[in-house]
């Protein structure tokens, strides 16, 4: 096999003739594949899930940030291909890994997807290619996990293979930013690798920000997520304190946010959700142990955030006891919003699911409405909820419920109609007050 030089690969990227493999076509990989293809690069998306491949060939998008029109147009232009056949990796020049990085049952990093994908790449890669990890992980992963796998396959890093890390910063549901307009941190294992990674993303991201080492880039991503987790925990704690003092925490935060410097608003909620914030900080906790260090802020934030659903349930119990004189075991509750954040269908780690489960455990009869989640998919932690369906909004009969619990503040919900139902509303998102709706039946939690 002939050895391709750094210069050849760089010029292939610059001239858009490099063939790009995106491995893992989920919330991160699919928008990346589409954005790279839009720039003129030839992209092949690889996934182990054949259903996703079928959907993509049928022009069906399962990720909010990617439109069906985009998929159809790029397919027609011959810019993208989708496959579950990993032997096609042999034809690729640039490999971008976007596979999951969850926690194990013991809340330790589960790098099995990253390892399996890198091993698959190592089986097919031709010398002189570029491999970039995008999955969120602890500092050191690229050096300590990816590089040895590729080296064991006989590829000398910096010579036969160039290796980089560039963290993803998708914000599902955020209409203001997309893959091309979110600044991209890039790093490489050596100067040439960094130049290649920078050139690659420079083709379709407006602002590429190089940093000195892959472990610095990994640390940047994890710092961003810890920053959110800790700040959300802080306002969740303040919510409980101010609640006891009969002070509205949302008004406090909005007031503080009028300060033009030194304050950044974060908002409380029913607990953390999503693939990132509840999980990623613990990657650092695990790695810090290797250095005999503890991550006290992360642990404390995790502790505060993880009891939020219990706090919400306690508030709900209190409200229906006072207003209706019934306990949870006799209550009929309507949950609004089962996805983890507004305007998305993603329900990974959603606190609404925890709420649903806690309420059912307490004997309540619970129904949910979510305009973005018609049916609960299979979830590792709550297999019993699979197949529960959303009650269509126009079928909500107030006579069937004792209270409404707003867990996610989707824009597509008619909150005025909820107010008109004249039921007690427990609002964990300040959705009612923000819309200027009557508050006499509303308790915040
Ligand atoms: N979702 C977000 O908003 C977000 C934001 C920033 C970073 N991240 C990070 O990006 C990474 C991917 O997250 P995601 O949300 O896109 O996950 P996802 O579950 O939506 O998608 C991952 C995809 O990878 C596929 N996959 C699994 N193993 C594979 C393999 N061996 N080869 C090819 N495909 C494989 C899965 O079938 C799935 O389609 C994670 O590390 C996550 O922490 C996610």
């Amino acid at each position: 096999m002939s050895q391709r030089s750094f210069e050849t690969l760089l010029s292939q990227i610059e001239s858009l003739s490099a063939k790009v493999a995106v491995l893992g076509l989920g919330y991160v990989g699919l928008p990346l594949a589409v954005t790279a293809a839009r720039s003129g690069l030839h992209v092949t998306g690889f996934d182990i899930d054949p259903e996703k491949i079928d959907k993509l060939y049928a022009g069906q998008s399962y990720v909010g940030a990617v439109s069906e029109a985009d998929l159809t147009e790029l397919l027609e232009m011959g810019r993208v291909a989708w496959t579950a056949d990993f032997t096609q990796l042999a034809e690729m020049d640039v490999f971008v890994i976007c596979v999951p990085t969850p926690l194990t049952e013991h809340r330790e990093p589960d790098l099995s997807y990253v390892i399996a994908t890198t091993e698959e790449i190592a089986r097919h890669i031709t010398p002189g290619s570029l491999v970039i990890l995008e999955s969120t992980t602890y500092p050191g992963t690229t050096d300590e996990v990816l590089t040895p796998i590729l080296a064991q396959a006989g590829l000398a890093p910096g010579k036969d293979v160039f290796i980089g890390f560039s963290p993803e910063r998708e914000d599902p549901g955020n209409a203001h930013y997309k893959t091309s307009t979110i600044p991209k941190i890039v790093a490489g294992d050596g100067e040439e690798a960094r130049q290649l990674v920078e050139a690659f993303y420079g083709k379709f991201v407006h602002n590429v920000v190089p940093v000195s080492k892959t472990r610095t880039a990994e640390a940047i991503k994890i710092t961003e997520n810890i920053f959110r987790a800790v700040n959300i925990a802080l306002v969740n704690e303040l919510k409980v304190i101010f609640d006891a003092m009969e002070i509205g925490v949302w008004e406090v935060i909005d007031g503080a946010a009028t300060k033009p410097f030194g304050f950044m608003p974060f908002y409380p909620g029913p607990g953390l959700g999503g693939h990132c914030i509840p999980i990623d900080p613990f990657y650092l906790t695990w790695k810090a142990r290797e250095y005999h260090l503890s991550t006290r802020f992360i642990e404390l934030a995790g502790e505060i955030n993880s009891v939020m659903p219990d706090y919400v349930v306690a508030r709900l119990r209190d409200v229906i006891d006072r207003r209706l004189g019934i306990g949870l075991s006799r209550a009929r509750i309507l949950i609004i919003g089962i996805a983890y954040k507004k305007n998305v269908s993603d329900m990974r780690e959603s606190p609404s699911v925890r709420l649903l489960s806690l309420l059912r455990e307490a004997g309540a009869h619970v129904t949910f409405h979510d305009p973005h989640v018609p049916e609960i998919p299979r979830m590792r932690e709550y297999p019993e909820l699979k197949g529960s369906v959303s009650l269509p909004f126009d079928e909500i009969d107030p006579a069937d419920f004792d209270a409404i619990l707003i867990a996610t503040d989707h824009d597509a919900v008619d909150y005025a109609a909820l107010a008109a139902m004249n039921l007690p509303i427990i609002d964990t998102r300040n959705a009612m007050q923000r819309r200027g709706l009557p508050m006499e039946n509303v308790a915040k939690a």
Side-chain angles (χ1 to χ4, degrees):
M1 216 175 293
S2 69
Q3 169 77 52
R4 176 183 24 194
S5 69
F6 158 74
E7 286 79 13
T8 314
L9 183 56
L10 186 61
S11 81
Q12 282 181 317
I13 292 171
E14 293 295 3
S15 64
L16 297 171
S17 63
K19 294 207 177 72
V20 178
V22 174
L23 297 105
L25 300 170
Y27 288 90
V28 166
L30 186 59
L32 177 85
V34 164
T35 311
R38 277 238 161 270
S39 76
L41 285 158
H42 287 269
V43 178
T44 306
F46 292 78
D47 205 291
I48 49 170
D49 180 351
E51 261 183 49
K52 284 196 171 144
I53 304 302
D54 290 345
K55 279 192 179 151
L56 292 171
Y57 269 119
Q60 290 168 16
S61 176
Y62 44 81
V63 170
V66 172
S67 74
E68 315 225 329
D70 259 346
L71 290 178
T72 313
E73 191 187 338
L74 289 167
L75 265 175
E76 278 169 11
M77 290 162 77
R79 291 265 189 76
V80 285
W82 314 108
T83 186
D85 170 13
F86 287 78
T87 60
Q88 291 185 33
L89 288 172
E91 292 150 36
M92 303 291 143
D93 307 303
V94 177
F95 301 80
V96 191
I97 304 173
C98 305
V99 294
T101 43
L103 293 172
T104 64
E105 273 174 28
H106 300 102
R107 301 196 71 71
E108 292 186 345
D110 176 0
L111 285 181
S112 58
Y113 299 91
V114 171
I115 292 169
T117 311
T118 313
E119 286 172 348
E120 193 66 56
I121 292 172
R123 275 193 276 279
H124 303 287
I125 192 171
T126 54
S129 301
L130 172 65
V131 180
I132 306 166
L133 179 63
E134 284 228 7
S135 304
T136 308
T137 184
Y138 57 78
T141 307
T142 306
D143 275 354
E144 296 161 16
V145 178
L146 256 75
T147 304
I149 295 173
L150 294 164
Q152 261 170 27
L155 299 156
K159 187 167 166 279
D160 302 322
V161 63
F162 301 98
I163 303 168
F165 181 82
S166 178
E168 184 50 60
R169 283 171 163 167
E170 279 300 311
D171 184 16
N174 185 333
H176 299 292
Y177 291 101
K178 48 187 183 174
T179 307
S180 60
T181 56
I182 303 171
K184 196 96 171 85
I185 298 287
V186 298
D189 177 11
E191 178 55 23
E192 292 186 335
R194 188 201 44 74
Q195 274 188 50
L196 291 169
V197 184
E198 204 175 338
F200 170 64
Y201 287 106
K203 288 290 159 203
F204 54 93
V205 178
H206 300 178
N207 184 6
V208 176
V209 185
V211 297
S212 59
K213 294 188 281 201
T214 51
R215 60 184 64 223
T216 307
E218 290 158 339
I220 288 170
K221 173 67 191 182
I222 222 149
T223 300
E224 292 166 5
N225 286 351
I226 291 166
F227 179 78
R228 279 190 65 71
V230 168
N231 278 288
I232 292 168
L234 175 65
V235 289
N236 276 335
E237 183 169 79
L238 292 177
K239 170 179 77 172
V240 176
I241 295 167
F242 291 153
D243 234 5
M245 297 176 177
E246 296 188 9
I247 300 168
V249 71
W250 282 274
E251 195 180 351
V252 170
I253 295 166
D254 288 343
T258 61
K259 186 180 174 187
F261 41 78
F263 185 83
M264 187 186 283
F266 282 84
Y267 293 96
L272 290 184
H275 183 288
C276 299
I277 313 295
I279 292 172
D280 303 342
F282 294 98
Y283 268 65
L284 188 67
T285 299
W286 179 84
K287 188 67 179 172
R289 272 188 232 133
E290 194 181 307
Y291 296 82
H292 306 286
L293 294 170
S294 57
T295 50
R296 285 177 290 169
F297 267 110
I298 294 174
E299 303 285 355
L300 180 59
E303 233 173 80
I304 295 172
N305 289 327
S306 62
V307 297
M308 275 305 122
D310 302 87
Y311 175 73
V312 172
V313 168
R315 288 279 289 153
L316 173 61
R317 178 181 279 125
D318 190 44
V319 166
I320 58 170
D321 179 19
R322 277 168 199 268
R323 295 222 195 160
L324 310 170
I326 59 169
L328 272 181
S329 63
R330 287 185 47 213
R332 299 159 307 159
I333 311 292
L334 174 66
I335 295 182
I336 299 291
I338 199 88
Y340 85 89
K341 72 184 278 198
K342 67 188 295 176
N343 304 338
V344 303
S345 61
D346 190 351
M347 30 186 323
R348 289 177 293 179
E349 309 285 321
S350 175
S352 307
V353 180
R354 175 92 185 119
L355 287 170
L356 201 152
S357 168
L358 283 173
L359 290 169
R360 285 196 177 157
E361 270 170 32
H365 185 272
V366 193
T367 307
F368 77 90
H369 166 73
D370 191 309
H372 300 282
V373 184
E375 184 178 326
I376 297 184
R378 195 185 66 79
M379 288 176 296
R380 195 167 66 175
E381 258 194 277
Y382 300 99
E384 73 282 3
L385 296 181
K386 181 181 181 306
S388 301
V389 292
S390 166
L391 178 67
F393 199 85
D394 54 7
E395 289 179 24
I396 298 173
D397 181 348
D400 292 340
F401 298 102
D402 298 307
I404 296 171
L405 170 57
I406 299 176
T408 314
D409 51 343
H410 292 307
D411 290 333
V413 170
D414 185 347
Y415 294 94
L418 289 183
M421 290 179 189
N422 212 17
L423 289 167
I425 296 178
I426 289 75
D427 186 353
T428 69
R429 302 285 187 176
N430 202 28
M432 303 300 281
Q433 191 154 39
R434 273 202 198 293
R435 289 171 174 82
L437 291 165
M439 292 300 287
E440 56 273 11
N441 287 328
V442 180
K444 298 187 196 170

